[in-house]
Amino acid sequence: MAEQTDSRLSGRRVVLAGATSTAGLAVARALHGAGAHVIATGRSADRLQELADAGAEVVVADATSLAEMTALASRSGAVDAVIPLVGGWRGGGGLAGQPDEDFAALLPALESVRATSRAFDAALRASEAGRFAIVSSTAVARPLAGGANYAAVKAASEAWARAVAQGYAKTAREAGEPLRTASVVFRAKALDPEALATRILSLWDADATDLNDRVFDLE
């Protein structure tokens, strides 16, 4: 993706939580190239180096920890977007192949959605165009026995993100102010990092009222 400063994104501060993946790197590069200030977190300083080389400010922090995300929020000041990118897949073998160990291994994806949305809630609502976005799966719409653990975690993550959206709308309504912050779900069957990066850049193409509580298919 060619780097070209974009007036929609220039100067925006975006937190990518749990960004040490191919998708995280693609999103960081796209945002940095468009002029945004990217704060990328991960648990490994070594794995964060590639993100630092891509122009991101990197912070060793656990995206599933409310305490660590709250500490990051308190240090980061103004933030215009938070995107938790903790993921992973385990499945197969029908219901018999859905052990507790696999479910526990998938739970960090939900935990990161919960922790980041709570820690950065005030900062995102204070932004003139705040965005919270999660990556989900088409498995939520058509769950299969062999992916029940995975679909259940993704469905719970979507439910949480929609609750965040309702909170944004309620806060704006009660304050008598226009809605400026949106919570969005991106669904993918097989995640294409570049497609995700493009859709994240487009989060500032529309008003919050047109984005909040929406589910978008990446395919």
Side-chain angles (χ1 to χ4, degrees):
M1 185 177 295
E3 293 192 0
Q4 183 175 358
T5 299
D6 189 325
S7 60
R8 301 166 303 164
L9 289 117
S10 182
R12 297 208 181 275
R13 293 171 60 81
V14 180
V15 175
L16 303 179
T20 55
S21 63
T22 302
L25 182 59
V27 173
R29 283 174 170 162
L31 286 167
H32 177 72
H37 178 89
V38 180
I39 303 170
T41 81
R43 293 183 296 178
S44 165
D46 289 342
R47 295 185 65 188
L48 284 167
Q49 185 57 51
E50 196 169 15
L51 287 151
D53 293 342
E57 173 189 347
V58 297
V59 180
V60 176
D62 184 353
T64 71
S65 167
L66 177 60
E68 293 189 30
M69 289 297 100
T70 299
L72 176 61
S74 69
R75 299 193 303 268
S76 299
V79 169
D80 298 296
V82 175
I83 304 162
L85 291 170
V86 176
W89 157 260
R90 292 196 183 191
L95 288 180
Q98 305 299 298
D100 291 348
E101 293 80 8
D102 281 5
F103 186 68
L106 292 166
L107 272 178
L110 171 59
E111 292 168 343
S112 67
V113 170
R114 294 182 69 248
T116 53
S117 63
R118 294 170 70 195
F120 288 93
D121 182 58
L124 289 175
R125 285 189 286 106
S127 170
E128 52 87 21
R131 303 291 185 261
F132 181 75
I134 73 165
V135 180
S136 185
S137 170
T138 55
V140 172
R142 190 174 183 274
L144 304 177
N149 277 335
Y150 178 75
V153 169
K154 289 299 186 182
S157 297
E158 287 197 15
W160 188 276
R162 295 195 65 191
V164 170
Q166 190 275 336
Y168 291 158
K170 182 174 184 289
T171 298
R173 184 172 60 252
E174 291 180 346
E177 298 177 350
L179 181 64
R180 295 187 296 267
T181 308
S183 176
V184 174
V185 173
F186 292 120
R187 282 184 184 170
K189 183 175 182 180
L191 184 59
D192 178 341
E194 296 299 333
L196 175 62
T198 298
R199 291 305 296 270
I200 287 175
L201 293 185
S202 75
L203 284 172
W204 289 273
D205 286 346
D207 291 336
T209 52
D210 297 321
L211 292 173
N212 198 39
D213 202 18
R214 293 285 302 278
V215 177
F216 296 100
D217 196 332
L218 286 178
E219 274 70 33

